[in-house]
């Protein structure tokens, strides 16, 4: 692979994509990076970075396939909970066409999430532990699960081995993003907004449900490690025989939490700041909170495949990050 790979990014103005883009620019020249953006406002956010910008939609599969054919690596962060299979297949088709015409093995890193394995309800603790090495279990998961139909497209590409195709599956992502666009995650801000709107923080049901988590900077580190490995060791990136391609799924979580104590801390910190009426947190029935307030479980064992890449935690824990994001005002200390 060339020492100056051409990299295409979808979702570069988003929370994860923007953070990874900024980190990529520390070691890759901006003229070698292209971002697909859907409108002028998104383009304006990226222009100061001096990267190449193409305006278009992820629904324009012809454009996406053509762009993929001219890049050595694609990082796809523009992934909805459901749907989007057309653009994912277009990326695979374009990169496989590039491999056929150049003899070079391109890379595709596909963003996914553990929403595909959510189970349980009403904040009850789960005991079912998934592993990213449970290949038969991933194969059996129905395509109706969040993200999974798109993930299956990547797994099949990994099984063929024409391109280096990987799924990066994140749990709860937290911390301040460093990209030029969205800097906020989904779940923690949802609990903060609910508390400010209603006057008290709240979790779902018992609040004992378990989710995995990862700091945004640690997640970015994993993308860069996996990209570097795939570019420099292409012969070792084909999925393991008999895994249906799922050996190229990598879980991107380093820790886990239960929601009750986290949300109670949020309530206490907001109360100390004078932003809510009641300290602590109350309990809500499933479906009564805001979007991204979950009563389910969604966690896995830390990935041995990720650790083999040299991945380790650098960022603060979730609890530490919440305390940093909601410091008590000096007048209240």
């Amino acid at each position: 692979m060339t020492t100056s790979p051409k990299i295409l990014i979808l979702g570069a103005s988003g929370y994860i994509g923007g953070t990874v883009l900024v980190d990529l620019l520390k070691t890759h020249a901006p003229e070698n990076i292209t971002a697909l953006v859907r409108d002028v406002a998104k383009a304006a956010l990226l222009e100061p970075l001096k990267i190449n910008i193409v305006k278009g939609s992820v629904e324009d599969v012809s454009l996406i396939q053509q762009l993929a054919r001219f890049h050595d690596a694609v990082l796809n962060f523009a992934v909805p909970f459901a749907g989007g299979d057309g653009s994912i297949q277009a990326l695979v088709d374009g990169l496989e066409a590039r491999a056929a015409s150049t003899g070079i093995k391109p890379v595709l890193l596909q963003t996914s999430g553990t929403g595909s394995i959510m189970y349980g309800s009403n904040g009850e603790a789960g005991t079912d532990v998934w592993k990213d090495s449970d290949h038969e279990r991933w194969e059996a998961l129905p395509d109706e699960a969040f993200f999974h139909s798109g993930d299956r497209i990547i797994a099949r590409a990994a099984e063929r081995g024409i391109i280096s195709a990987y799924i990066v599956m994140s749990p709860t992502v937290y911390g301040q993003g460093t990209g030029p666009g969205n800097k906020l995650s989904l779940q923690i801000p949802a609990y903060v907004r609910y508390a400010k709107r209603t006057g008290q923080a709240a979790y779902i049901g018992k609040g004992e449900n378990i989710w995995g988590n990862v700091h945004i900077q640690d997640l970015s580190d994993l993308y860069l490690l996996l990209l570097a490995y795939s570019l420099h060791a292409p012969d070792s990136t084909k999925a393991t025989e008999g895994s249906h391609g799922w050996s190229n799924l990598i879980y991107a979580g380093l820790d886990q939490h239960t929601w009750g104590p986290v949300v109670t801390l949020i309530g206490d910190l907001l109360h100390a700041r004078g932003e809510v009426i009641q300290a602590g947190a109350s309990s809500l029935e499933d479906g009564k909170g805001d979007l991204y307030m979950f009563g389910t479980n969604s966690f896995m064992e830390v990935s041995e495949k990720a650790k083999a890449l040299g991945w380790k935690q650098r960022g603060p824990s979730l609890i530490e990050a919440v305390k940093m994001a909601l410091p008590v005002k000096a007048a209240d200390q």
Side-chain angles (χ1 to χ4, degrees):
M1 179 68 70
T2 175
T3 56
S4 301
K6 302 293 185 182
I7 302 172
L8 173 66
I9 301 179
L10 282 67
S13 64
Y15 173 57
I16 301 175
T19 300
V20 174
L21 170 59
V22 168
D23 287 344
L24 265 178
L25 286 168
K26 296 172 184 176
T27 53
H28 294 263
E31 60 267 24
N32 292 327
I33 299 176
T34 298
L36 176 69
V37 299
R38 66 175 180 263
D39 56 43
V40 174
K42 301 295 185 187
L45 292 173
L46 300 177
E47 284 172 357
L49 300 179
K50 307 299 182 184
I51 64 173
N52 305 302
I53 297 173
V54 176
K55 296 184 182 68
S57 168
V58 294
E59 297 174 356
D60 189 342
V61 294
S62 296
L63 172 63
I64 288 174
Q65 183 174 344
Q66 186 69 8
L67 285 170
R69 291 188 63 168
F70 289 96
H71 288 84
D72 301 306
V74 177
L75 282 64
N76 185 16
F77 303 100
V79 182
F81 285 100
D85 291 2
S87 62
I88 297 171
Q89 187 64 60
L91 290 172
V92 170
D93 292 344
L95 290 173
E96 289 188 340
R98 179 170 180 77
S101 64
T102 65
I104 295 172
K105 191 174 184 180
V107 176
L108 174 55
L109 305 187
Q110 172 76 14
T111 300
S112 185
T114 59
S116 61
I117 58 168
M118 287 193 299
Y119 69 93
S121 62
N122 204 38
E124 296 185 358
T127 58
D128 187 7
V129 182
W130 282 69
K131 302 177 183 178
D132 62 8
S133 57
D134 288 338
H135 304 147
E136 293 299 330
R137 198 174 188 190
W138 292 109
E139 179 65 13
L141 196 66
D143 282 352
E144 290 73 25
F146 288 140
F147 305 111
H148 198 64
S149 60
D151 289 349
R152 194 181 298 277
I153 294 171
I154 303 300
R156 293 298 178 263
E159 188 175 30
R160 290 190 296 274
I162 299 170
I163 66 175
S164 300
Y166 285 91
I167 301 158
V168 181
M169 182 170 285
S170 305
T172 296
V173 186
Y174 63 91
Q176 183 88 356
T178 59
N182 180 29
K183 300 182 188 301
L184 296 177
S185 62
L186 294 175
Q187 289 171 286
I188 297 297
Y191 286 97
V192 172
R193 287 193 301 271
Y194 180 88
K196 289 182 177 181
R197 191 179 77 247
T198 64
Q200 185 179 27
Y203 48 79
I204 303 300
K206 296 181 178 179
E208 297 171 356
N209 52 313
I210 304 166
W211 273 67
N213 63 61
V214 63
H215 189 272
I216 182 63
Q217 194 58 62
D218 293 328
L219 179 57
S220 181
D221 287 350
L222 178 59
Y223 275 98
L224 269 59
L225 286 168
L226 185 55
L227 177 63
Y229 172 77
S230 301
L231 288 171
H232 295 108
D235 293 341
S236 63
T237 58
K238 183 177 180 179
T240 304
E241 192 74 25
S243 72
H244 313 288
W246 296 109
S247 62
N248 282 25
L249 184 158
I250 296 182
Y251 173 55
L254 284 166
D255 201 353
Q256 62 187 41
H257 63 279
T258 54
W259 277 110
V262 172
V263 179
T264 299
L265 173 63
I266 289 172
D268 288 341
L269 292 172
L270 288 173
H271 183 258
R273 291 162 58 90
E275 297 184 36
V276 297
I277 299 170
Q278 295 290 328
S282 61
S283 171
L284 293 174
E285 294 181 18
D286 256 333
K288 297 296 185 181
D290 286 359
L291 190 63
Y292 305 120
M293 291 173 60
F294 296 115
T296 55
N297 296 274
S298 184
F299 62 98
M300 297 168 63
E301 285 190 2
V302 175
S303 173
E304 292 298 322
K305 290 174 279 188
K307 288 196 289 186
L309 293 170
W311 191 44
K312 56 187 177 181
Q313 186 167 354
R314 289 198 303 134
S317 71
L318 187 147
I319 292 296
E320 291 168 339
V322 168
K323 290 179 179 178
M324 288 188 288
L326 297 171
V328 176
K329 297 176 182 177
D332 297 327
Q333 291 179 332

